[in-house]
């Protein structure tokens, strides 16, 4: 999963009420704004940190992939583009589920650290200020620092859990193989009921997901082909799939989780062919 930074300002309250990010790709002078490439990369399950006038006020999780709708129907969330539409006609959108922090984190108090630890690929410029475009990927080191600062401030349990989910996601990507496996084996015995943190959903351990991806070595466990591209961390892009779906009682355990290319993942959720299910069970990561 990826983590994004969104500059909302006065739009924060509106987008929080709509539970959706809305990005118009055309600027005031009719030019294409660069941020559309960033929002188009948001996928279901990605995390988003919400900057409202230099305060991190909320964390959300994407409940949809990025999609496109016509401007005149953006408030209704209906149809996609027609072949005759142009850039002027549409808006990029992502459905999200918000958790508002009970103690927002003042970004100004973090500028000195962000300056010393500048990363050109992250959401902050060399002075430690947020870059101007609406949405950016944010470097894991920056996320970890900001979330650790935010965690110390939170009183509300729901806000604490939301921050911890983000920190767990980062840790899962950086643990050595042996520690990751140990953490995954521990995690698979927890969270056997739906969790309501940022949205009501079955908990999916980032440690188990990362362990499954590493065991796949960049190869889809269904079609046997290499991952179609690399993610922002230069890792083969594969998606984790629960062979027996969580919504149907499947467990979040290593023997029920595989790493698939996006095409095969979609195929399993549309077709779920019994032959494919048997094949994946035979290839699933085992403790």
């Amino acid at each position: 999963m990826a983590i994004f930074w969104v500059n909302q300002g006065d739009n924060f309250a509106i987008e929080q009420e709509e539970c959706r990010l809305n990005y118009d790709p055309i600027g005031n002078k009719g030019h294409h704004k660069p941020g559309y490439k960033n929002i188009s990369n948001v996928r279901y399950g990605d995390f988003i940190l919400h900057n409202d006038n230099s305060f991190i006020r909320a964390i959300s999780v994407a409940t949809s992939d990025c999609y496109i709708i016509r401007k005149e129907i953006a408030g209704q969330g209906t149809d996609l583009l027609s072949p005759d539409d142009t850039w002027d006609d549409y808006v990029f959108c992502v459905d999200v589920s918000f958790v508002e922090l009970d103690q927002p984190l003042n970004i100004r108090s973090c500028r000195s650290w962000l300056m010393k630890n500048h990363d050109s690929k992250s959401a902050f410029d060399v002075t430690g200020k947020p870059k101007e475009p609406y949405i950016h990927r944010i470097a894991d080191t920056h996320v970890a620092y900001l979330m650790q600062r935010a965690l110390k401030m939170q009183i509300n349990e729901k806000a604490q859990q939301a921050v911890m989910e983000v920190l767990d996601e980062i840790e899962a990507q950086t643990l050595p193989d042996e520690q990751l496996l140990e953490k995954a084996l521990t995690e698979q015995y927890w969270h056997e009921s739906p969790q309501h943190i940022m949205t009501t959903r079955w908990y999916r351990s980032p440690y188990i997901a990362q362990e499954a991806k590493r065991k796949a070595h960049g190869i889809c466990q269904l079609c046997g082909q290499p991952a179609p591209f690399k993610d922002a961390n230069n890792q083969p892009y594969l998606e984790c799939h629960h062979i027996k779906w969580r919504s149907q009682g499947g467990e979040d355990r290593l023997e029920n989780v595989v790493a698939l290319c996006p095409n095969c993942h979609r195929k399993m959720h549309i077709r779920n062919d019994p032959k494919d299910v048997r094949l994946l069970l035979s290839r699933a990561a085992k403790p």
Side-chain angles (χ1 to χ4, degrees), residues 131-242:
K131 294 177 181 176
E132 288 188 6
Y134 175 74
I135 185 168
H136 286 274
R137 279 293 304 269
I138 177 170
D140 288 349
T141 52
H142 291 173
V143 177
Y145 174 76
L146 295 172
M147 291 297 94
Q148 287 164 1
R149 288 279 303 268
L151 184 61
K152 295 176 182 178
M153 302 167 57
Q154 305 312 306
I155 300 171
N156 180 277
E157 182 179 357
K158 188 175 181 181
Q160 292 174 348
Q161 289 179 309
V163 174
M164 283 301 303
E165 274 205 26
V166 179
L167 289 171
D168 285 348
E169 182 65 34
I170 295 172
E171 183 184 48
Q173 297 177 27
T174 57
L175 282 177
D177 290 348
E178 186 175 334
Q179 293 181 29
L180 178 63
L181 177 58
E182 180 180 352
K183 191 78 174 181
L185 291 172
T186 302
E187 284 271 302
Q188 66 182 359
Y189 294 104
W190 299 355
H191 308 298
E192 290 307 318
S193 60
Q195 306 292 306
H196 184 89
I197 298 177
M198 283 180 261
T199 180
T200 301
R201 58 189 175 123
W202 285 91
Y203 180 80
R204 292 166 171 82
S205 166
Y207 303 100
I208 292 174
Q210 187 64 26
E211 174 67 14
K213 290 178 182 179
R214 289 193 193 178
K215 288 289 183 67
H217 300 293
I219 303 297
C220 173
Q221 291 181 277
L222 183 57
C223 68
Q225 296 298 310
F229 58 89
K230 292 188 176 181
D231 63 20
N233 295 318
N234 204 35
Q235 297 299 311
Y237 183 81
L238 295 173
E239 299 174 349
C240 285
H241 172 67
H242 288 79

